Amino acid sequence: DRSLQKLPADRFSSAAEFAAALANPSFSLAATPAAAAVGERPRLSVMTIGLATLSGVLLVAALWGWLRPGSESPSVARQRIVLGSDLPGGMIFLGTAVAPDGSAIVYWDTVGGAEHLWVKERDQAHAVVLAGTVEGRSPIFSPDGEWIAFVTDQGLYKVPRRGGSPIVVSDSGGGYGAGAWLDDGTLVFFSSGNDLIYRVGDAGGASERILEFDDIQRGFMQATALPGGRGVLFIACASFPCIQSEAWVLDLRTLEPRMLVEQVGSAWYVPTGHLVYVRRDGGVFVAPFDLDALEISGPAIPVFDGVRTFQGLADFHLAADGTVLYVAGEAMVYAELSEIVWVDRSGAESQIDPNWTIHGVGNGGLSLSPDGTQVAVNATSEGSPETHVFVKRLPDGPASRLTFDGATNIRPTWSPDGRHLLWVTNRSNKMEVWRKRADGSQGAELLVSVERSVFEGMISPDGEWIVYRTDDVAAGSGDILARPISGDSSDVELIATAFEETSPALSPDSRWMAYSSNESGRKEIYVRPFPNVNDGRWQVSVNGGTEPLWAHSGRELFYWSRSGEMVAAQIETEPTFRVGTRQVLFRDSTFVYAKNDDHRNYSVSLDDRRFILSRPVEVAEITSEGELILIENWLEELKERVQN
């Protein structure tokens, strides 16, 4: 009755006074002025007083439970941990995942020199190798935590967490950077070139391409799930390495992408209704996120800092229950500077120009002129994310910049007469082959533009054909075509299969074409007659192979083996084509080569005795930097920070 009085002065002054009255059997309204004015009301019965007392006790208990800070919340725990030989030296964003309930960590490490996935269960003292995951990377836990998806060069697989045989989910993909396993049973993952995003049901079946490089002029490195299968967050890079990286969202209903935050290396949705992201400088921020509109709906606030980033990508993983795994350290740069060196057939090195270094490591961007006096490279300019082609006169001449338009200018090749350079560029917002005089005296001209992006282009030694290779992320997975320079200019499909064919290389007499294909399940080197490619086919490599290059004599074919060896295969073409002995010349140490894919990144001297290669000279020692930190129940800390 008193708590319902109209005048505030007649009501209890506080909840504590109210609770004390409920617990006091002698309490009477007659003692109040308002009650005396209207006449004394009936006294409360013992039963009513008892019930009121019980209600008061329950109310106080409930208020205590609701208002006492963190009374039922699990405590936040931080600890330094060690996983395998390659962590924290390895990169979390490529090879580590935490179970949705935080009960296990799967990570990437080696066994006898071969890459495998390992699982460390919380209740077990030691990690164990996950059987069937040789060369596996980019693991993802299923929403229920019972399965682990991973990729190899051959595609996407899943394997039971507790052990069992892997199951093929898709033969597409094989990229780097973890995808996402959504709670509606959809898997989102990347192509081998990280230039395309697929989705597929976790039971397997046909993969659907849902986003590609040309849609936003960016490649992809990491995807994380939004609830209800609504969409995915992903990190996109304007070029590789990720000099510029951004957080994007892809609406899986409309397949419309939208950029959310610039200069971000990792992004995750948390059940508090927020977006957690890590900036390129290692700072962790949180911002409210509207799941219906798929957009940030308020200002971001800092949470903590000190997360190590690698080329802008964050070594940070956030599980569904709030478990955080990250590497504490500073931003790191890999191979910021490289040098170009001569390497003879025994592996002995010599500097070309001690005063010359290039920014970046190239991307198949190293080509010696036909007369051996100049080298063309693609490199980034200091302080700029753009990649351009430079030409240097050997040994100690200046390095002159040849390209000025477009953000990506890569993979230069020389015309047979040495007067022009061809390269691929996005200057017209898609990858095409352009040509320009090597001395820069004339403007550039478009040479090859087709519906698909073009990733390699060259002119045959006899000057009669333009040979080009389409992108290896669209349908067809990389096809090799040719176009006559004179006469009928219609394109001819040389090798257009469901497999990935890359790195075409023509013999000095233009009669034979070498290339790399994954038709056997891994990249190997093959040779066919040119241009009549269906008249024969011979496999040259036996232990994997990429980047074929013909000797000027035409009697050898050089390539990198899968294990990092420069191999010279003896070739006979008369009376028929035959592969002779294969000689290992030297092993890779720190040279840049395309182990899995793409364009050749070396050239050979006119006498076939020396190779010109690039080698990083400033490499971040990622195997010794930083500490691996595990935070349990981090969402409790995040909730408090957001409420405050």
Side-chain angles (χ1 to χ4, degrees):
D1 282 351
R2 183 170 178 180
S3 68
L4 296 176
Q5 293 297 314
K6 294 180 180 181
L7 298 177
D10 293 339
R11 297 196 292 267
F12 294 107
S13 62
S14 68
E17 185 181 346
F18 183 25
L22 287 172
N24 180 8
S26 63
F27 174 81
S28 172
L29 288 175
T32 68
V38 298
E40 185 175 347
R41 301 190 180 186
R43 294 181 61 87
L44 299 177
S45 68
V46 174
M47 177 68 74
T48 304
I49 293 173
L51 289 174
T53 302
L54 177 60
S55 299
V57 172
L58 291 175
L59 175 62
V60 172
L63 288 171
W64 176 256
W66 292 332
L67 301 178
R68 185 177 57 173
S71 60
E72 302 298 329
S73 300
S75 59
V76 179
R78 284 175 166 82
Q79 53 190 312
R80 178 181 178 273
I81 65 172
V82 176
L83 291 175
S85 61
D86 287 344
L87 288 170
M91 292 164 283
I92 286 182
F93 65 84
L94 287 183
T96 308
V98 181
D101 62 356
S103 61
I105 301 172
V106 58
Y107 62 94
W108 187 18
D109 203 351
T110 56
V111 181
E115 300 159 354
H116 286 75
L117 294 179
W118 294 63
V119 177
K120 170 64 177 69
E121 298 284 348
R122 177 190 287 159
D123 60 357
Q124 298 296 315
H126 302 286
V128 296
V129 175
L130 192 58
T133 62
V134 62
E135 297 185 355
R137 59 181 181 270
S138 305
I140 322 165
F141 274 97
S142 61
D144 63 6
E146 295 302 313
W147 291 81
I148 297 169
F150 63 95
V151 296
T152 70
D153 290 345
Q154 286 70 50
L156 175 71
Y157 300 80
K158 67 176 183 179
V159 64
R161 166 180 164 180
R162 312 291 177 179
S165 299
I167 299 171
V168 177
V169 179
S170 173
D171 57 7
S172 300
Y176 287 82
W181 198 328
L182 284 71
D183 50 22
D184 66 353
T186 300
L187 277 160
V188 172
F189 60 103
F190 308 122
S191 65
S192 60
N194 282 67
D195 288 342
L196 190 144
I197 300 181
Y198 294 103
R199 69 174 167 188
V200 66
D202 55 18
S207 299
E208 177 189 4
R209 291 184 296 145
I210 57 176
L211 193 67
E212 54 188 277
F213 180 93
D214 288 344
D215 294 332
I216 61 173
Q217 289 299 303
R218 282 158 174 76
F220 318 112
M221 281 305 300
Q222 181 201 58
T224 57
L226 293 175
R230 181 71 172 87
V232 291
L233 304 166
F234 65 91
I235 301 302
C237 301
S239 62
F240 293 107
C242 265
I243 299 171
Q244 291 180 322
S245 55
E246 305 141 347
W248 289 65
V249 62
L250 177 63
D251 188 332
L252 291 180
R253 299 174 185 174
T254 65
L255 300 186
E256 291 294 325
R258 181 188 303 124
M259 190 178 72
L260 298 173
V261 192
E262 295 182 300
Q263 302 300 316
V264 167
S266 180
W268 307 77
Y269 179 82
V270 291
T272 59
H274 291 81
L275 180 75
V276 173
Y277 61 86
V278 185
R279 296 194 317 196
R280 293 172 60 88
D281 62 4
V284 182
F285 284 73
V286 59
F289 188 77
D290 187 332
L291 269 180
D292 294 324
L294 295 183
E295 62 185 16
I296 293 175
S297 56
I301 61 172
V303 183
F304 68 92
D305 56 17
V307 175
R308 188 181 73 181
T309 59
F310 176 77
Q311 295 289 24
L313 301 171
D315 276 329
F316 182 92
H317 186 95
L318 176 57
D321 75 330
T323 300
V324 172
L325 182 68
Y326 75 98
V327 178
E330 298 179 353
M332 309 191 75
V333 178
Y334 175 73
E336 184 180 24
L337 295 176
S338 298
E339 64 178 353
I340 310 299
V341 296
W342 285 113
V343 182
D344 67 20
R345 294 173 73 99
S346 69
E349 300 179 24
S350 59
Q351 284 186 307
I352 290 177
D353 183 348
N355 299 315
W356 181 47
T357 56
I358 63 173
H359 288 264
V361 297
N363 185 12
L366 181 61
S367 183
L368 192 65
S369 64
D371 63 4
T373 64
Q374 300 179 86
V375 61
V377 299
N378 62 241
T380 57
S381 299
E382 185 173 5
S384 170
E386 296 183 353
T387 305
H388 288 282
V389 175
F390 296 78
V391 180
K392 178 180 173 63
R393 184 164 293 278
L394 301 176
D396 55 2
S400 302
R401 180 170 163 179
L402 186 72
T403 62
F404 295 90
D405 296 312
T408 302
N409 297 271
I410 58 175
R411 300 175 182 172
T413 60
W414 294 84
S415 61
D417 60 10
R419 298 176 61 188
H420 291 85
L421 273 165
L422 288 69
W423 74 98
V424 292
T425 173
N426 67 349
R427 59 187 292 159
S428 298
N429 295 322
K430 66 179 298 185
M431 299 302 287
E432 303 165 324
V433 180
W434 285 64
R435 176 175 67 175
K436 188 176 184 178
R437 283 186 65 100
D439 60 9
S441 61
Q442 295 180 358
E445 60 176 323
L446 177 62
L447 207 59
V448 178
S449 179
V450 293
E451 182 179 353
R452 289 168 63 178
S453 290
V454 179
F455 284 1
E456 295 181 271
M458 67 200 71
I459 296 178
S460 62
D462 61 10
E464 295 184 4
W465 295 86
I466 301 172
V467 177
Y468 66 92
R469 189 260 296 181
T470 59
D471 67 281
D472 51 349
V473 298
S477 299
D479 297 328
I480 301 174
L481 299 92
R483 176 181 298 176
I485 291 179
S486 60
D488 183 3
S489 61
S490 58
D491 293 342
V492 177
E493 286 189 345
L494 298 177
I495 309 174
T497 71
F499 302 108
E500 184 179 78
E501 292 93 18
T502 59
S503 306
L506 295 173
S507 62
D509 60 6
S510 298
R511 292 180 53 202
W512 311 94
M513 184 179 74
Y515 64 97
S516 181
S517 173
N518 65 354
E519 61 185 82
S520 68
R522 66 182 181 188
K523 284 294 185 73
E524 298 282 3
I525 304 299
Y526 300 88
V527 170
R528 292 177 182 253
F530 179 84
N532 302 317
V533 294
N534 294 323
D535 290 350
R537 173 183 163 280
W538 298 269
Q539 182 173 330
V540 177
S541 59
V542 294
N543 185 33
T546 58
E547 300 186 62
L549 173 64
W550 291 89
H552 291 86
S553 67
R555 295 190 295 271
E556 289 180 300
L557 184 64
F558 306 114
Y559 63 90
W560 283 111
S561 74
R562 185 176 181 82
S563 56
E565 300 164 329
M566 176 61 74
V567 179
Q570 301 296 315
I571 301 296
E572 296 181 11
T573 59
E574 299 294 343
T576 60
F577 188 92
R578 190 178 76 87
V579 181
T581 59
R582 300 170 182 85
Q583 178 187 4
V584 174
L585 302 182
F586 53 86
R587 293 188 60 85
D588 163 62
S589 54
T590 58
F591 305 125
V592 177
Y593 72 103
K595 178 179 179 182
N596 296 307
D597 200 348
D598 296 338
H599 186 71
R600 185 178 66 253
N601 199 61
Y602 68 97
S603 285
V604 66
S605 61
L606 300 186
D607 62 2
D608 297 328
R609 306 305 302 172
R610 295 189 300 170
F611 299 85
I612 189 169
L613 292 140
S614 64
R615 179 181 61 191
V617 293
E618 286 191 9
V619 180
E621 294 293 337
I622 62 174
T623 56
S624 59
E625 298 279 348
E627 293 183 331
L628 194 59
I629 305 297
L630 181 72
I631 309 178
E632 295 179 294
N633 305 314
W634 182 68
L635 284 186
E636 300 305 320
E637 182 176 289
L638 180 63
K639 291 174 186 177
E640 181 178 353
R641 184 63 183 271
V642 170
Q643 291 170 355
N644 290 340

